[in-house]
Amino acid sequence: MPDTHTVAVRRATPENAGPLIAVLAEAFHDGPVADWLIPDPADRRVVFYRYFRDAFQHGLAHGHVDTTADLSAVAIWYPRLDPPQGHTRERQEALEHATGPYAPKFTLMEAMFDAFHPDEPHHYLAYLAVDPEQQNRGIGAALLHEHHRQLDKLGLPAYLEASNTRNRQLYRRLGYTAGPPLILPTDGLPIWRMWRGRQTPTGRSPFPPAPQPRRPTR
């Protein structure tokens, strides 16, 4: 298992798009949430590539994208120092373009994420993906270690949504605590809201209170 200090972490560049979009699409291809979003695996592979191409490009333009020297993993972060705006018309158009007939479920999922996103300033881990052939070797944890170190220097928390119990356990080992889950409708699938509080003299700050209801931005 790689040590967090031996995995070389660097900022991703536009030239890394091809390999890293493929890592994102493959890493998220299997699982109950993927099955709920797009039941047909063949359609899922095509749509996920378009969806994560948009996610990667958006992360480069508006967030912070980290990768490893061998491009086997990618993490897309966003600084959220002000309360989020909610689901915008621009985002909706991009989502419909990327996901086509599957847009209603993607829209519902992202709207739920927006509605329950904490208001407290933090960095948001939108996506963490490791090449399936390289998983369970500590690469994901190593990739996050550098960003967590920077957040601790800044005195800022981190937030994410975990889509399965295995990921939830990983994030718990990295100092996150689980808040009230989100439940996707129809299939009742849980999404775990995870919070890594800022460092305080007595430990880490607790999971923040539920945000005030927000209206979609038009």
Side-chain angles (χ1 to χ4, degrees):
M1 179 178 293
D3 183 87
T4 57
H5 300 290
T6 63
V7 174
V9 177
R10 64 171 178 82
R11 292 288 290 269
T13 67
E15 291 72 28
N16 303 143
L20 294 184
I21 294 167
V23 166
L24 284 158
E26 288 298 320
F28 284 96
H29 184 268
D30 296 321
V33 174
D35 292 340
W36 176 79
L37 286 168
I38 306 177
D40 184 275
D43 280 0
R44 190 186 312 156
R45 195 169 301 279
V46 174
V47 173
F48 269 24
Y49 189 88
R50 293 200 303 261
Y51 180 79
F52 286 111
R53 179 176 59 197
D54 176 77
F56 180 79
Q57 292 171 347
H58 190 272
L60 287 180
H62 303 285
H64 180 111
V65 184
D66 285 329
T67 187
T68 53
D70 61 357
L71 304 179
S72 64
V74 56
I76 302 178
W77 291 91
Y78 291 97
R80 293 290 171 85
L81 306 183
D82 298 306
Q85 296 180 346
H87 205 74
T88 64
R89 179 176 296 178
E90 179 183 27
R91 176 57 189 159
Q92 184 61 34
E93 291 174 353
L95 200 56
E96 291 176 0
H97 178 73
T99 63
Y102 301 102
K105 283 188 175 180
F106 280 88
T107 299
L108 176 58
M109 182 181 69
E110 291 196 0
M112 290 180 67
F113 288 177
D114 288 341
F116 289 91
H117 206 102
D119 288 335
E120 181 178 332
H122 64 279
H123 280 202
Y124 173 46
L125 179 61
Y127 304 101
L128 171 65
V130 179
D131 182 339
E133 295 185 359
Q134 301 290 329
Q135 290 178 5
N136 303 313
R137 297 179 55 204
I139 297 173
L143 184 61
L144 296 186
H145 175 76
E146 178 65 21
H147 201 84
H148 287 164
R149 189 170 65 85
Q150 296 300 322
L151 290 180
D152 287 342
K153 287 182 179 180
L154 295 171
L156 285 172
Y159 174 76
L160 59 89
E161 298 100 1
S163 60
N164 59 57
T165 54
R166 186 187 69 175
N167 292 344
R168 182 182 62 175
Q169 294 305 317
L170 165 66
Y171 293 123
R172 279 180 167 170
R173 291 196 297 272
L174 296 177
Y176 288 79
T177 57
L182 305 175
I183 305 298
L184 294 177
T186 67
D187 287 359
L189 295 173
I191 303 287
W192 285 275
R193 302 167 63 229
M194 310 291 293
W195 181 259
R196 184 181 184 270
R198 65 184 181 279
Q199 190 66 55
T200 72
T202 58
R204 293 197 176 273
S205 58
F207 204 102
Q212 295 297 314
R214 288 184 280 268
R215 292 182 179 274
T217 302
R218 296 186 180 276

